[in-house]
Amino acid sequence: MKKLLVYLKSYRKETILAPLFKLLEASFELLVPLVVSAIIDTGIANQDNGYVVRMSMVLVAFGLIGLLCAVTAQYFAAKAAVGFSTQLRHALFSHIQSLSFTEMDTIGTSTLITRMTSDINQVQSGVNLVLRLFLRSPFIVFGAMIMAFTVDVKAALIFVVAIPLLSVVVFGIMLITMPLYKKVQAGLDKILGITRENLTGVRVIRAFNKEAEERERFEESNEALTALQKYVGKISGLMNPVTYIIVNGATIALIYTGAIRVDSGALTQGEVVALVNYMSQILVELVKLANLIITVTKAIACGNRIQNVLEIQSSMPDPAAEGKGKTVQKANAPAVVFDHVTLTYKGAGAPSLTDITFTANRGETIGIIGGTGSGKSSLVNLIPRFYDATEGAVLLNGVNVKEQGLESLREKVGVVLQKAVLFKGTIAENMRWGKKNASEPELWKALEIAQAREFVEQKDGLLNAPVEQGGKNLSGGQKQRLTIARALVRDPEILILDDSASALDFATDAKLRKSIREMESRPTVFIVSQRTSSIQYADKIIVLDDGKMAGIGTHDELLKTCPAYQEIYYSQFKKEEIG
């Protein structure tokens, strides 16, 4: 949590002024019992109405000045807390973006969302309250005790006993609850994960009539979280009654001692009232301090969770960020070379890819086929360096991808992933993810190649037609064609189509592949597909079986020599149809 305070540096003035104005307010508050004492002992005792009115006006002035100081302190505290959380959220989001897919897979989406939202909000509340109350409450507690000593030393000894007892209660409960609040936030992570799964997979849940089971799973986790929160709440709830008992006991002792000393003439009635007021101030401030400590305890637990994410280092450092990125590439080198590449995902028991070796020359079309889970997506994900090879090397234009800057590397690669993801906005805005300054003719050209021009021309607004979040207002085939067009806009050197035409009919798929082959820039194309018809005219076809290369060659060569390819092909085309 301490390391997060660096984000308060920009708000040094506010972090000083907020507590300062709170201390000014507290100073005026500490003078109020002395004024009340003077009203009783001088004004009321001597029946001096003018004195009572003058002192009452002083109290009103103290109240107004205190209000002004409190509002000013609140303004500076809020400005610092909101600014701090804004910078922290920016830093956390930026750090998450720098993490590789490996770290994101390990941490989990729901956990990262909780850190970005709930945890940062808790830290913001903690910072706000600390700036307002962390100095004010102890200042009034110890200030009231010191002021009590200026009134009467013997009576003030009661404060000396009461305050340590209160401190033991407050800080003892804080130490017990702090680790429990960490468990509460972890439970919140779990709830968020289940909620996200249910919202994402609502169609599947309904299709398989699993609503009751999912409801039961959610209720089970929710009840566990509720029980833990109740347990923590009960412990935290002890703070107020125990502090009230101690303070009220001290008040009784104070009144008893004060009565004896008034009777002996050592104290005045006004001074006893002042002492009781100081004890009441201590009670109020300790209740505030107790609530502050509960909030701060939550904030510290959440801050530590945020810090844990910020301390995670990417397993895939960017050479460009370290000033080591290679930009010079070999002119005559092949587009992509896999040199004995093995990939093992973090935490996996076995490699997903084993000893993959092949060369893709510039302008070639490489087909990748294999059974489910054979490692097709894993293979193409190594080219733009979404994951790093565990062994061996992936070369792009003759240079190891690990030695190239991530930004410059990915500018050369157009990727269309298995799941078509579009963002809320317009068709043009989504396509310009591929190339920020793309002109309208460039957008239409990409749409034409991707076989998407026809349906875009039928939309109201054409390129400015709206796209809902996730492309909900488009069909599966339309989404796939738009994502292909988005990748084509940047005119990439290497185009990866990762099973991205699965929703297209055979005729549209064939037109798409023909248009890509006829592109002037002649990109090197990797087509991952379950259909042999989509890859049979590729220059090379790589057949994967359980992460290993079962064969490589042209369609005709593989039909003669590769049993794995034969099995896939003949499962889709009957032998008599071929003959």
Side-chain angles (χ1 to χ4, degrees), residues 128-193:
N128 194 339
L129 282 178
V130 164
L131 291 177
R132 287 165 47 209
L133 299 177
F134 190 68
L135 289 180
R136 183 190 190 278
S137 293
F139 179 78
I140 284 190
V141 170
F142 291 105
M145 185 174 70
I146 292 165
M147 295 299 284
F149 271 100
T150 64
V151 175
D152 184 68
V153 173
K154 190 171 182 181
L157 291 173
I158 296 167
F159 288 75
V160 176
V161 176
I163 289 173
L165 281 175
L166 290 165
S167 300
V168 168
V169 171
V170 168
F171 289 103
I173 289 174
M174 182 188 76
L175 290 172
I176 293 168
T177 54
M178 191 178 289
L180 293 174
Y181 279 121
K182 289 182 182 177
K183 290 183 180 178
V184 167
Q185 289 301 116
L188 190 62
D189 277 354
K190 189 176 179 182
I191 288 285
L192 184 62

Side-chain angles (χ1 to χ4, degrees), residues 101 114 137 245 268 341 355 397 414 420 430 460 464 483 570:
F101 284 10
T114 306
S137 293
I245 289 168
T268 64
V341 170
D355 197 29
N397 295 333
N430 270 277
D460 291 335
N464 293 317
T483 54
Y570 291 132

Side-chain angles (χ1 to χ4, degrees), residues 222-421:
N222 197 25
E223 284 169 10
L225 177 62
T226 303
L228 184 58
Q229 285 178 317
K230 282 182 179 178
Y231 178 63
V232 181
K234 285 176 184 176
I235 296 173
S236 299
L238 285 173
M239 198 175 292
N240 282 2
V242 173
T243 51
Y244 270 104
I245 289 168
I246 295 170
V247 171
N248 287 330
T251 304
I252 293 167
L254 188 62
I255 293 171
Y256 176 77
T257 305
I260 294 172
R261 289 181 68 73
V262 167
D263 190 50
S264 66
L267 274 177
T268 64
Q269 290 175 343
E271 287 172 335
V272 172
V273 170
L275 288 168
V276 171
N277 279 345
Y278 281 128
M279 185 59 76
S280 298
Q281 283 184 351
I282 289 172
L283 171 61
V284 170
E285 289 307 320
L286 279 170
V287 170
K288 286 182 183 176
L289 189 61
N291 291 327
L292 168 66
I293 286 169
I294 290 169
T295 304
V296 168
T297 302
K298 290 180 183 177
I300 290 171
C302 293
N304 289 336
R305 284 154 51 86
I306 295 167
Q307 184 60 40
N308 290 341
V309 175
L310 288 171
E311 286 177 350
I312 294 172
Q313 295 299 315
S314 175
S315 59
M316 203 171 69
D318 185 357
E322 300 171 2
K324 301 176 183 176
K326 289 187 178 179
T327 54
V328 178
Q329 299 181 355
K330 298 173 184 176
N332 299 319
V336 177
V337 175
F338 273 60
D339 184 12
H340 299 285
V341 170
T342 296
L343 171 66
T344 305
Y345 289 110
K346 188 174 181 181
S352 296
L353 294 172
T354 306
D355 197 29
I356 305 294
T357 300
F358 70 88
T359 299
N361 295 312
R362 297 171 193 268
E364 281 189 335
T365 298
I366 310 296
I368 300 171
I369 199 167
T372 303
S374 59
K376 302 184 296 295
S377 294
S378 297
L379 188 148
V380 293
N381 281 340
L382 294 173
I383 299 170
R385 206 184 169 204
F386 291 154
Y387 294 92
D388 269 343
T390 316
E391 297 174 22
V394 179
L395 308 181
L396 194 148
N397 295 333
V399 180
N400 194 322
V401 292
K402 293 182 181 180
E403 298 174 1
Q404 300 185 40
L406 288 176
E407 189 174 341
S408 62
L409 169 67
R410 289 170 185 167
E411 279 179 353
K412 301 185 189 87
V413 183
V415 182
V416 187
L417 299 172
Q418 276 181 320
K419 185 179 179 183
V421 178

